Amino acid sequence: QVQLVESGGGLVQAGGSLRLSCAASGRTFSRYVMGWFRQTPGKEREFVTTISGSGLSTYYADSVKGRFTISRVNAKNTVYLQMNSLKPEDTAVYYCAATTTYLAKVVTEYLYWGQGTQVTVSS
């Protein structure tokens, strides 16, 4: 199994920035497609972004396109989410996840999940 641990969440003012990190276990990290999702109370888990195993291909939800950037450093078994121009509606628990499906965008396509990290954006 792959274990995932998110970090970097916190409180930030609207218009500010945060960078989330997700550290993964295992020797085959570069073979996994990685994704970020977010969830608020009473809402379904929402797709944010995904990145191919090589890091050459990415896909973003319209709600974050142009503001968020996903990246990975396979030598460190780590994926990142750089969040700029944050809005109050970005407030959520953010989860990283791993799958073998190319650029997967649906919760049910992901095999492994982290515990989540809270991001709160104040107005």
Side-chain angles (χ1 to χ4, degrees), residues 12 16 29 31 37 50 62 81 98 105 115 122:
V12 65
F29 177 71
R31 296 186 180 183
F37 291 76
T50 185
D62 288 343
L81 182 64
K105 306 171 185 66
Q115 82 290 346
S122 62

Side-chain angles (χ1 to χ4, degrees), residues 38-44 91-93 118:
R38 64 189 184 185
Q39 188 168 26
T40 56
K43 302 293 183 181
E44 294 184 358
T91 296
V93 176
Q118 176 71 47

